[in-house]
Each structure stands twice: as C-alpha cells, then as structure tokens.
Amino acid sequence: MAIAVDVEGVTKFYGKTAALENVSFSIDAGSALGLVGPNGAGKSTLLKMLLGLMRPTRGAIYYNGQPLWPDPASAMRQVGGFVDTPRFYPYLTGRENLMMLAELTHGSARRVDEALHYVHLDGAAEQRVGGYSHGMRQRLGIAAALMKRPGLIILDEPEDGLDPARLAEMRQLLGRVRQEYGSTLIMSSHVISDIERLCDRIAVFDNGRIRYVGPVNTLGSRIPEEILWELWPVERGLRYLRNLGLDARPAGEGRIAAVWDGSLDLGQVNAALMREGLAVRTVMRRTASLESRLLAYLEDSHVDVR
Amino acid sequence: MWTYVKWECRRQFRLVRFWGSLFSLVLLGALFAYGYSQMHGQAAVMDYVGRGLANGFFVPILALIMSTSIMLPFFVTLFSADSIAGERQLGTWATLLTHGVNPWSAFWAKWLVGLGYGILATVVLSGSSLMAGFLLFGLHGSALPSGINAAPGDFWRILMMMMGYAVAGLAVVSTFALIVSAFSRHAVSAIMVTMGSLIVLAMLGDLPFLTRVRDLFFTSYFSRISDVLSYPPNGAALWHGLVVYALYMVFFSALVLWFQPFRD
C-alpha cells in the first residue's frame, strides 16, 4: 500500500547551525516528489529524517497519518531506500546481505531472489559485495528496498557516480519500479531531467528552507517560451524584431532568440520577416527546460547556484 | 534477537581478524608457557604465584594473572568497540536501521556476541597455555602461595574460578566498549576511549590514597585472582567484585537506555 507523507515544521540543528528550518509539505500516496537544490541545501538531512536515521530537532513526520517517531523501526518495515551510497558488508555475498536483512525483518528468501532478479543481479548474487562495482551496489540497494514491497521509496541521488550506460540502466529501473510497484517516491537528484521524468512534484531546497514545493510543470511557469529564428542577415532581423516590440537577442550561429509571450501571431511575424527581404531558414519554438526554469527560479530567489 | 546473533556470528567468522585474534591468543598461551619455563626458580615469581613452579597448572594461572588486566581486555575492546562504531563507519548501521531492524535487538545481540568472544578468548588463552604447560611440566599437585598443598582437583577448581572471574571482568569491559562504540562515529575513537579509560583506571588503582576507593569501586582482576588463589578462596571478596561488576553493567545499561544513541 502506497504511503502518504506529511512533513510538519521540521527543523534540524547541528549545534547552533540550522540544517533545515521549518520545512513542511505533504505528498499523496502514490505520487513522486523530487528534491532539488544546491549541495548543502538540506536535502540529505531531510531524507535521513524520513528514513528514521535522524531525529528532527522540532516538527514531526507522519506516514499515513502515523507519527514516524518515537518508533521509526516499525515504520521502516514499509519504507525502502538509502541515503548516499547503499552500504553492505563487503565480505558477505550480495545474496547473504539481502538474506540477513530479510531474516532480521521476517522477510522471505523468495523475495530476496525476486528482488535480485528484478535488478538483474542474479548472476552476481553469490559474489562478495566487496567485488561489486558502484552500479551493482546501487542496484543491490534498490533490491534491498524492493524486497520489502515498500509503500514508500526514498532515494538520495541514485544516479550518483554511475557511468552513462549504468545511468541509463538506473533510469529504466526506477521508471519500472514506479510503474509496477505504485509506491510513493521521494528522491533527490542533481540530474534534473530524471526528476522531470520520474516525479510529478518538486521541492526546491536552499539554505535549509523549501523555496518551492508543487507540481513540476508549474515551477517557474512564468518563464515564457522562446522563438529561435535562423535567418540572414542577423543584424537587420534583430532590428526588425525589436521594432515589433520583441525582446530579441543574438543567439549565435546566425540565430536570434526572442522571448515569446504569445501576444503576436507567429505566422504573421514570419511572413513580415520574409517581406522585409530576410532569408528565414528555420523557426523553432523553445520551451524552457526544467533545469533552466529551476536555475531561473533560484536566481530570482537571489540564491547562489554554483 | 537470536537471528541477529546468528548473523553476527556468521559475519565474524568471515573476518580474518577474528581468526587472527584467536591465533594470537593461542600463540600467547604457548609464549607464556615458554616464558614460565625461563622464569623457573625466580624468587619474585615464586612469592607471587607459588612455590610449585614446575607445574603445568601454573601456566594458565600465570597467563590469566598477566593478561586479564590489559591483554585480554585489549582483545575484547578491539572486538566490541568496533561493533557499532565500525558498522556506522562502514555505513551498514544505517542500512540496518533503514531496513527496520530494531536497534535494541542489534545492540543486545552484539552484547551477547561480545560476551561470547570474551569467553572464547579466555578459554583459548587458558587452553593453549594449559596445553603448553602440560607438555613442559605435566599436571600435578603443588603448593599454593599460602603454603597449602593443593591436589590437581583443587587446581582445576581454581582454574575454573579464575576463568569465570576473568570472563566476568571481560563482560564489563566488553559492555563498556560496546557502549562507547554506540556513542562513537569511528571505531578508532571507540577503541581509544575504551583502552584509555582502562589504563587510567588501572593507574588510579596504583595511587596509595585511592586504595580504598579502588577496593570499593575499581575492583581489579589482580586482587580478585589472589583471592582465588588463597585457600579456601576468599568468597566475600569475590562476591564483592562480582557485585561491583554487576553495578557497572547496570550503570552502563542505564546510560544506553537513557541516551539511546542509535540514531543521530
């Protein structure tokens, strides 16, 4: 059963430094929330608290209306996931590591084998984890999470440190998990396209606070789309478009980009350009990616986004 | 908890350092026997251990006297202090917690396994030194420091009591090490704090003005072992030691119950 999550006014102090300040949000059962933001923004701290590894200084976390604390162990039976890289005993085999976790939480050997098969680790199940590659460990971490049939999956940068081939594999795996298990998903990532692909909601963190939480497609939605013209001569085209009242700028390689708010008819503008004797080669509509919308959003919030 | 004990043992059996430590103890026992044969007839040793030096029974007794204050606790500390802090450092502690493993089950299982290791270490050291002593000197009756002649049966009883007492002391050390480990992020810190504390306690016991305090609170293996060697053994002193050990255990357990240092 998918788990609904409520985070209410969660604050975490390390000594006198606040790692998280008054963070609140809710997610419905079965939905997916992506956490984004610069390093040190508080994403991992929040994930640690959601995984019961860290107590909040103030505030509360509820899973399906039940408080996570003071007994996170019982809640964790239905939550799968990891923070940073999943860690296992290097001198035990992959299968032994999962068997241990299963036996300690009354799981079954059948689920272990199913989970290993699901992440394509059946062939390496009898190898010691010490000999696993980073990608294999990530997949073993996902297998450990999946063998509980979790209602909530929490992943911290699951693509971290993977080469392009393993990254594609991981994306595919996470997509499949979402589709087949229907679990609620909370994941942090620096790969914004993955957040866009896997999550329906996004939470933007900065300096321990949530700057935005809501649907992915409304983040920075006021950022208008752009039209990209490839034409010649560029200087005349630029002058003409500016005369039309457009915020046009050279975009390199004989192209002009202009912010498009939809107040003019694009067909008429193109026709007018041609009437002016400009050679229009291509016209392209460019919607702002989530990444650029996120960057614009953070810049607007006067945030250092190094 | 027993499932955890099973997996904890299984894990330990895979570690080279576990077998390495047992091998070191076997070697240590043999070295004690050899060293004992070299000390043959030295007055200082005779006064302390007894007059019947050419007796295999004295080798494990001497080995326990020499090793229960620092050497055996050192082995136990390395084992127990590494348990939670080592897992924290490796990241597997977080894996266990996020998987819904009850940290208390893990804690008590580690405590039991640590205790088991203390027993095993004592048995291995005593066994190897007894074996080597038997090969060098044979097993027969001999005179105790009190001047009373003890038969082989009496020596067995003395040896068993000494081993039991050493195990009780090691249980306290193991519990202390485990608790320090539960509060530490790194195994090295836990080992250093535990060993440092043991050394400081041992040194405090040597300060004359703290003798009374030591007798009351810092019950030491040495004093109790001499009580074992008296004939008949000094039961009151032994019980006092065991009560102090028990109080330590209660205090350590209360610390963990109060702070519950399993999560950040």
Side-chain angles (χ1 to χ4, degrees):
Chain A
M1 189 183 72
I3 293 174
V5 180
D6 287 295
V7 174
E8 287 182 6
V10 163
T11 297
K12 178 70 186 177
F13 278 96
Y14 292 117
K16 285 181 179 172
T17 312
L20 272 185
E21 269 188 276
N22 204 24
V23 167
S24 299
F25 63 84
S26 297
I27 37 172
D28 297 332
S31 63
L33 175 74
L35 310 184
V36 294
N39 287 335
K43 306 184 298 288
S44 294
T45 303
L46 177 67
L47 292 180
K48 279 180 187 166
M49 284 197 263
L50 289 168
L51 281 167
L53 293 172
M54 194 181 264
R55 287 186 190 90
T57 311
R58 278 198 300 272
I61 295 167
Y62 298 90
Y63 288 161
N64 278 345
Q66 299 296 313
L68 177 60
W69 297 91
D71 178 25
S74 58
M76 284 304 122
R77 301 272 164 98
Q78 296 177 40
V79 178
F82 51 82
V83 184
D84 303 325
T85 308
R87 303 298 178 95
F88 296 96
Y89 300 105
Y91 39 84
L92 297 182
T93 66
R95 192 168 190 283
E96 281 174 326
N97 268 290
L98 295 199
M99 272 305 293
M100 184 181 114
L101 291 173
E103 283 187 20
L104 291 176
T105 49
H106 314 293
S108 69
R110 191 172 55 83
R111 287 242 182 124
V112 169
D113 292 330
E114 279 173 9
L116 284 167
H117 178 70
Y118 196 90
V119 298
H120 307 305
L121 275 178
D122 343 37
E126 302 305 330
Q127 277 176 32
R128 288 189 180 192
V129 170
Y132 276 23
S133 68
H134 182 73
M136 287 165 88
R137 284 179 206 208
Q138 296 282 84
R139 280 188 284 151
L140 189 64
I142 292 186
L146 292 184
M147 69 182 186
K148 290 191 275 183
R149 302 267 161 89
L152 170 64
I153 300 174
I154 297 172
L155 302 171
D156 186 19
E157 299 178 19
E159 327 85 343
D160 190 36
L162 298 181
D163 62 50
R166 299 286 87 78
L167 195 61
E169 212 172 66
M170 182 60 75
R171 279 181 192 137
Q172 204 179 20
L173 177 64
L174 289 176
R176 202 149 58 95
V177 168
R178 276 279 292 139
Q179 205 172 23
E180 291 174 19
Y181 281 69
S183 318
T184 309
L185 173 71
I186 300 179
M187 68 178 279
S188 78
S189 178
H190 287 301
V191 185
I192 305 298
S193 57
D194 284 352
I195 295 279
E196 198 166 19
R197 188 176 300 137
L198 293 164
C199 303
D200 36 48
R201 286 165 68 80
I202 188 168
V204 181
F205 278 75
D206 185 67
N207 276 334
R209 290 171 181 271
I210 283 197
R211 299 281 174 183
Y212 170 88
V213 59
V216 171
N217 51 17
T218 59
L219 172 69
S221 54
R222 56 181 184 69
I223 299 175
E225 61 181 343
E226 284 186 331
I227 303 294
L228 208 62
W229 284 276
E230 192 181 354
L231 49 69
W232 185 86
V234 173
E235 279 307 313
R236 252 180 67 208
L238 204 56
R239 264 200 312 275
Y240 185 78
L241 289 169
R242 281 175 181 165
N243 285 340
L244 288 176
L246 290 170
D247 179 12
R249 64 180 194 281
E253 297 173 1
R255 292 181 303 176
I256 297 171
V259 173
W260 192 253
D261 59 5
S263 58
L264 297 174
D265 183 291
L266 183 58
Q268 285 181 6
V269 172
N270 288 335
L273 285 170
M274 283 187 275
R275 273 200 304 276
E276 283 295 309
L278 291 152
V280 180
R281 289 197 187 103
T282 58
V283 182
M284 205 167 65
R285 212 179 261 270
R286 191 164 69 175
T287 312
S289 66
L290 178 62
E291 191 159 6
S292 54
R293 282 186 282 145
L294 174 67
L295 284 168
Y297 188 86
L298 289 171
E299 274 165 9
D300 278 1
S301 310
H302 307 290
V303 169
D304 180 6
V305 286
R306 274 166 296 173
Chain B
M1 187 178 73
W2 294 108
T3 314
Y4 200 104
V5 171
K6 182 188 92 179
W7 276 101
E8 188 68 11
C9 292
R10 205 164 161 179
R11 249 175 15 82
Q12 293 297 336
F13 294 160
R14 291 287 176 86
L15 292 171
V16 175
R17 64 176 178 228
F18 173 79
W19 297 108
S21 69
L22 293 186
F23 178 72
S24 306
L25 286 165
V26 170
L27 209 62
L28 209 60
L31 281 172
F32 270 120
Y34 176 72
Y36 186 61
S37 70
Q38 299 301 302
M39 291 192 296
H40 210 106
Q42 287 180 21
V45 179
M46 283 166 69
D47 289 346
Y48 191 71
V49 181
R51 262 160 274 169
L53 284 172
N55 183 350
F57 276 116
F58 276 124
V59 180
I61 288 170
L62 185 72
L64 286 174
I65 287 172
M66 300 290 279
S67 59
T68 43
S69 62
I70 292 292
M71 258 185 271
L72 276 178
F74 185 67
F75 278 90
V76 168
T77 299
L78 285 178
F79 186 89
S80 291
D82 180 60
S83 55
I84 295 178
E87 288 222 35
R88 219 173 241 149
Q89 210 173 329
L90 190 64
T92 47
W93 186 247
T95 303
L96 293 172
L97 294 183
T98 53
H99 213 78
V101 173
N102 186 334
W104 283 108
S105 306
F107 178 82
W108 291 118
K110 281 177 182 295
W111 182 77
L112 276 177
V113 174
L115 195 64
Y117 181 78
I119 295 171
L120 190 63
T122 311
V123 169
V124 167
L125 179 69
S126 309
S128 66
S129 53
L130 185 68
M131 189 79 78
F134 168 69
L135 289 173
L136 286 171
F137 309 104
L139 304 176
H140 47 82
S142 191
L144 288 172
S146 52
I148 293 166
N149 279 317
D154 297 318
F155 275 114
W156 278 116
R157 272 195 296 279
I158 288 170
L159 188 57
M160 289 300 129
M161 280 179 76
M162 283 186 72
M163 283 172 67
Y165 219 86
V167 165
L170 290 177
V172 177
V173 173
S174 165
T175 311
F176 178 56
L178 184 64
I179 284 160
V180 173
S181 178
F183 283 94
S184 309
R185 286 188 180 279
H186 301 284
V188 174
S189 330
I191 291 166
M192 285 177 74
V193 169
T194 313
M195 285 309 295
S197 307
L198 288 176
I199 290 166
V200 167
L201 279 183
M203 286 172 73
L204 281 177
D206 288 338
L207 298 174
F209 60 93
L210 282 175
T211 309
R212 186 77 190 131
V213 177
R214 183 198 63 180
D215 287 348
L216 276 174
F217 299 109
F218 306 140
T219 177
S220 68
Y221 309 110
F222 279 114
S223 60
R224 298 305 164 224
I225 280 170
S226 63
D227 289 325
V228 173
L229 281 176
S230 63
Y231 199 83
N234 185 347
L238 291 174
W239 277 112
H240 166 242
L242 287 177
V243 168
V244 173
Y245 283 158
L247 286 175
Y248 277 135
M249 302 287 263
V250 170
F251 174 68
F252 293 150
S253 306
L255 267 182
V256 178
L257 280 167
W258 180 260
F259 288 105
Q260 303 200 15
F262 305 124
R263 299 170 199 270
D264 290 333

